[in-house]
């Protein structure tokens, strides 16, 4: 495989951008390689600047549920561009997209369109604080909610101490109100609520954790979170930036039958354009300006091109709901390639899956972290040498799209099996 072009481009990029990239996980550092520079993509394939073609399971980290450059989406975006790129004034399309979203997720009685998942979660937390008049929030270790200051947190010295910044440049005082619980561990949540219940504005959770690799909620865990937050008057926020429109049109909340107070969406919701959403109970959302006192704004929010891509993508998913069964079947085939193998563990729900290199069941951050990342790096390289592009980090999901052909999925399953047996 030739990678000269990518290497040259990477060297140049490194002189201009930190690590040569605009988002750190793209840098391939944990797999010891130079990132591939992508020229174009179509269906389930990526084409890089050296002319290599890859079967893609990163799918831009989730948005690509229909595959790359879906002709209907691309044509609608092209048409929309001819009508102007941004107006900074209301458009019909914003209402149309909002209506589609509420139709799919009725818990989002009112919503706001923003530009990134980070912005959506940051704004939702602010709305929850404004609504409750409380300061503290609870998140789970290993769940990712974007890179806003208060959410870049690891657990403090004890479960009941405030969080500690997990990034340089974040003052400790910004994370003192962030309490950190363990995923799938009810006791850790109960302890926090017993100590601070009346002060907790919001509990945030990825209903299926997908940023420590995929980790499923255990039976009853989400219902327990619904119950304890209701008991304390705390806002329950489902961060469905990955799971929204991925586990089905109704997201994880429909899949598991739990109605959160607030929801955040991103990735698929923008159909490949920068668009994200936060929304939920009307009385909470009505706290947001200009109706209420919680300030949140955005020059490009509800951008006509992004809303066009979102509407086109959601409309296609609504017209072709069989896609969900199809992508789940393909993901199941991939998961089967590594099930019951010593030293490997696979978690899957719907079309989301992760392969871990550990003998322990992966059910929380600690067990996810027990995965051998050196083996993951060899696995990544083995896949790459066989023309398959998976996430360059253990702690990500593998995404299957409607565009993955059966042939490509089988080839991928064989490739995983080869690695498992080696
Ligand atoms: C990707 C992601 C975010 C952040 O979204 P960006 O658009 O990258 O800012 C937030 N929450 C979850 C669960 C995500 O997967």
């Amino acid at each position: 495989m030739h990678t000269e072009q990518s290497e040259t481009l990477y060297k140049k990029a490194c002189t201009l951008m930190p690590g040569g990239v605009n988002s750190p996980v793209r840098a391939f550092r944990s797999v010891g390689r130079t990132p591939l520079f992508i020229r174009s993509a179509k269906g389930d394939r990526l084409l890089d600047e050296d002319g290599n073609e890859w079967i893609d399971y990163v799918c831009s980290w989730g948005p690509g549920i229909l595959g790359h450059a879906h002709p209907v989406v691309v044509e609608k975006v092209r048409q929309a561009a001819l009508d102007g790129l941004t107006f900074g004034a209301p458009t019909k399309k914003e209402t149309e997209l909002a209506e589609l979203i509420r139709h799919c997720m009725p818990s989002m009685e009112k919503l706001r369109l923003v530009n990134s998942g980070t912005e959506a979660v940051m704004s939702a937390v602010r709305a929850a604080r404004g609504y409750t008049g409380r300061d503290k929030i609870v998140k789970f270790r290993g769940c990712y909610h974007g890179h806003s200051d208060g959410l870049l947190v690891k657990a403090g010295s004890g479960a009941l101490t405030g969080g500690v910044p997990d990034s340089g440049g974040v003052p400790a005082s910004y994370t003192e109100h962030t309490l950190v619980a363990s995923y799938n561990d009810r006791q850790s949540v109960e302890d926090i609520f017993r100590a601070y219940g009346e002060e907790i504005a919001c509990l945030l959770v990825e209903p299926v954790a997908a940023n420590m690799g995929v980790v499923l909620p255990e039976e009853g865990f989400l219902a327990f979170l619904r119950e304890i937050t209701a008991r304390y008057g705390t806002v329950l926020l489902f961060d469905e930036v990955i799971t929204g429109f991925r586990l089905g049109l109704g997201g994880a909340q429909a899949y598991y039958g739990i109605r959160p107070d607030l929801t955040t969406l991103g990735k698929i919701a923008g159909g490949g354009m920068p668009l994200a959403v936060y929304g939920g109970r009307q009385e909470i959302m009505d706290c947001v300006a200009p109706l209420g006192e919680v300030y949140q704004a955005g020059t490009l929010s509800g951008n006509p091109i992004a809303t066009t891509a979102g509407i086109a993508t959601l409309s296609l998913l609504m017209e072709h709901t069989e896609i969900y069964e199809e992508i789940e079947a393909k993901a199941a085939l991939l998961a089967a390639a590594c099930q019951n193998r010593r030293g490997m563990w696979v978690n899957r729900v719907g079309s989301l899956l992760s392969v871990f290199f550990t003998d322990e069941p992966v059910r929380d951050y600690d067990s996810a972290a027990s995965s051998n990342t050196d083996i993951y790096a060899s696995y990544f390289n083995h896949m790459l040498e066989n023309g398959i592009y998976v996430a360059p980090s253990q702690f990500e999901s593998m995404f299957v799209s409607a565009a993955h052909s059966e042939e490509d999925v089988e080839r991928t399953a064989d490739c995983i099996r080869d690695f498992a047996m080696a």
Side-chain angles (χ1 to χ4, degrees):
M1 132 178 86
H2 289 278
T3 54
E4 291 83 4
Q5 292 297 327
S6 281
E7 276 157 35
T8 307
L9 288 162
Y10 180 57
K11 254 187 220 133
K12 178 86 186 275
C14 283
T15 67
L16 291 158
M17 290 168 277
V21 291
N22 285 310
S23 196
V25 77
R26 297 180 194 170
F28 277 32
R29 286 170 85 96
S30 56
V31 290
R33 285 188 94 100
T34 304
L36 300 169
F37 278 61
I38 304 305
R39 185 195 299 165
S40 66
K42 179 92 187 129
D44 68 352
R45 301 295 176 109
L46 293 176
L47 189 72
D48 73 16
E49 293 285 358
D50 288 281
N52 302 307
E53 203 175 76
W54 311 96
I55 306 174
D56 177 27
Y57 292 96
V58 177
C59 292
S60 191
W61 307 95
I65 192 166
L66 297 173
H68 295 287
H70 190 287
V72 173
V73 179
V74 169
E75 180 52 25
K76 296 219 158 125
V77 165
R78 206 182 66 83
Q79 285 297 333
L82 298 173
D83 290 333
L85 299 180
T86 172
F87 317 123
T91 61
K92 272 199 300 205
K93 284 179 181 158
E94 293 162 80
T95 306
E96 195 185 326
L97 178 59
E99 211 167 20
L100 283 179
I101 292 170
R102 188 173 65 183
H103 174 78
C104 293
M105 292 192 193
S107 77
M108 298 180 83
E109 295 165 2
K110 273 199 178 173
L111 55 91
R112 262 277 160 88
L113 304 180
V114 294
N115 306 288
S116 70
T118 296
E119 202 189 340
V121 182
M122 178 186 81
S123 308
V125 168
R126 187 179 301 150
R129 282 175 161 151
Y131 170 72
T132 57
R134 302 173 180 180
D135 288 339
K136 293 200 186 297
I137 59 175
V138 179
K139 79 174 284 286
F140 291 93
R141 212 162 156 232
C143 284
Y144 178 67
H145 302 292
H147 65 90
S148 65
D149 286 336
L151 295 172
L152 287 178
V153 169
K154 56 186 172 196
S157 50
L160 299 180
T161 56
V164 177
D166 203 11
S167 161
V170 178
S173 60
Y174 284 29
T175 58
E176 70 179 297
H177 292 305
T178 310
L179 302 160
V180 182
S182 299
Y183 198 76
N184 279 329
D185 177 354
R186 298 182 194 201
Q187 192 62 48
S188 73
V189 178
E190 260 164 30
D191 289 348
I192 288 173
F193 273 87
R194 202 166 301 123
Y196 298 107
E198 315 288 327
E199 299 168 58
I200 301 171
C202 176
L203 179 142
L204 308 84
V205 66
E206 286 181 78
V208 172
N211 285 288
M212 48 177 147
V214 173
V215 178
L216 276 55
E218 285 170 2
E219 182 74 36
F221 182 62
L222 297 175
F224 159 76
L225 296 180
R226 177 63 286 181
E227 186 278 316
I228 197 164
T229 48
R231 179 156 28 110
Y232 284 95
T234 294
V235 171
L236 177 62
L237 164 55
F238 272 11
D239 184 351
E240 296 223 43
V241 169
I242 282 187
T243 53
F245 308 112
R246 169 62 62 182
L247 290 189
L249 289 171
Q253 52 197 270
Y255 194 95
Y256 292 102
I258 306 289
R259 190 180 175 105
D261 302 304
L262 289 179
T263 300
T264 49
L265 303 170
K267 299 191 170 119
I268 293 173
M273 296 293 290
L275 182 145
V277 191
Y278 73 100
R281 271 167 51 203
Q282 173 159 346
E283 53 185 329
I284 304 174
M285 291 305 291
D286 282 348
C287 295
V288 175
L291 278 188
E293 299 196 325
V294 174
Y295 194 69
Q296 181 268 314
T299 301
L300 293 173
S301 291
N303 171 271
I305 311 299
T307 48
T308 298
I311 292 165
T313 300
L314 300 193
S315 303
L316 284 164
L317 291 170
M318 288 164 83
E319 277 163 41
H320 301 281
T321 49
E322 72 279 4
I323 282 176
Y324 288 105
E325 279 153 45
E326 289 166 13
I327 55 180
E328 165 148 30
K330 293 181 223 173
L333 215 143
L334 296 176
C338 40
Q339 244 138 17
N340 304 320
R341 298 212 180 260
R342 232 186 325 132
M344 280 174 104
W345 182 268
V346 58
N347 280 337
R348 181 189 69 81
V349 58
S351 59
L352 285 172
L353 74 152
S354 286
V355 182
F356 297 90
F357 297 95
T358 176
D359 284 315
E360 260 186 80
V362 176
R363 58 180 296 271
D364 58 12
Y365 178 81
D366 286 333
S367 43
S370 78
S371 183
N372 186 323
T373 51
D374 292 335
I375 302 181
Y376 187 87
S378 328
Y379 159 77
F380 172 86
N381 282 299
H382 166 81
M383 299 302 274
L384 208 62
E385 276 148 28
N386 286 282
I388 298 163
Y389 187 86
V390 296
S393 157
Q394 168 70 78
F395 304 105
E396 304 291 347
S397 174
M398 196 167 179
F399 295 96
V400 181
S401 80
H404 282 94
S405 68
E406 256 167 57
E407 200 185 336
D408 283 352
V409 172
E410 271 160 26
R411 193 174 125 198
T412 308
D414 285 342
C415 202
I416 297 176
R417 217 171 282 119
D418 286 348
F419 184 80
M421 294 195 303

